[in-house]
Amino acid sequence: MKEKNVTTQDYPLSTRCPERIVTPTGKPLTDITLENVLAGNIGPQDVRISQQTLEYQAQIAGQMQRHAVARNFRRAAELISVPDARILEIYNALRPFRSSEAELLAIADELEHTWHATVNAGFVRESAEVYRQRNKLRKGS
């Protein structure tokens, strides 16, 4: 069952509708307290943002006609499941002259097929094309 959308009246989410915010581990925002942290009930994975919360933020940004911000929130939501170390590797691979076209296309395929990050995969494919046109790809291999 899909949860209903949020509106600009729900912003800021943490004060207007904290019951809708859940961590990636399933804990409600209201459980994130200093007492629970000190007791060891809250760990690092509990204080990360969830895909659903990013989608809520995207909905609000879109309603405020901030479409670029909404797209950024949705791209970020796609990357939630990708391990941090892999995101850093991909970031470095996207720098000019760091990757061949084949390597960038392989990253795009990984994002799309392994992580279901289709928007980000498209971004990497577009980067590969632009780098090819501007001669910014790594030579060799």
Side-chain angles (χ1 to χ4, degrees), residues 71 75 94 101 104-109 111-112 118-137:
R71 283 190 305 273
R75 276 195 297 270
L94 283 166
E101 184 173 16
L104 291 176
L105 294 176
I107 289 169
D109 287 345
L111 287 168
E112 183 173 3
T118 57
V119 175
N120 285 282
F123 173 74
V124 174
R125 287 187 183 100
E126 180 181 342
S127 298
E129 176 62 20
V130 170
Y131 282 10
R132 187 187 58 73
Q133 291 172 2
R134 296 184 182 172
N135 201 26
K136 300 286 184 182
L137 293 166

Side-chain angles (χ1 to χ4, degrees), residues 45-107:
Q45 291 298 326
D46 297 316
V47 293
R48 297 177 66 126
I49 196 163
S50 69
Q51 287 180 320
Q52 185 61 60
T53 301
L54 285 165
E55 174 57 29
Y56 289 154
Q57 295 287 53
Q59 289 173 18
I60 290 168
Q63 291 169 28
M64 297 174 73
Q65 305 305 310
R66 299 190 69 200
H67 301 293
V69 173
R71 283 190 305 273
N72 286 339
F73 280 129
R74 289 193 172 104
R75 276 195 297 270
E78 278 192 349
L79 295 175
I80 288 289
S81 61
V82 181
D84 292 345
R86 184 62 182 136
I87 289 174
L88 289 175
E89 291 169 356
I90 292 169
Y91 174 80
N92 282 321
L94 283 166
R95 295 176 66 197
F97 306 108
R98 292 291 176 99
S99 300
S100 67
E101 184 173 16
E103 289 167 332
L104 291 176
L105 294 176
I107 289 169

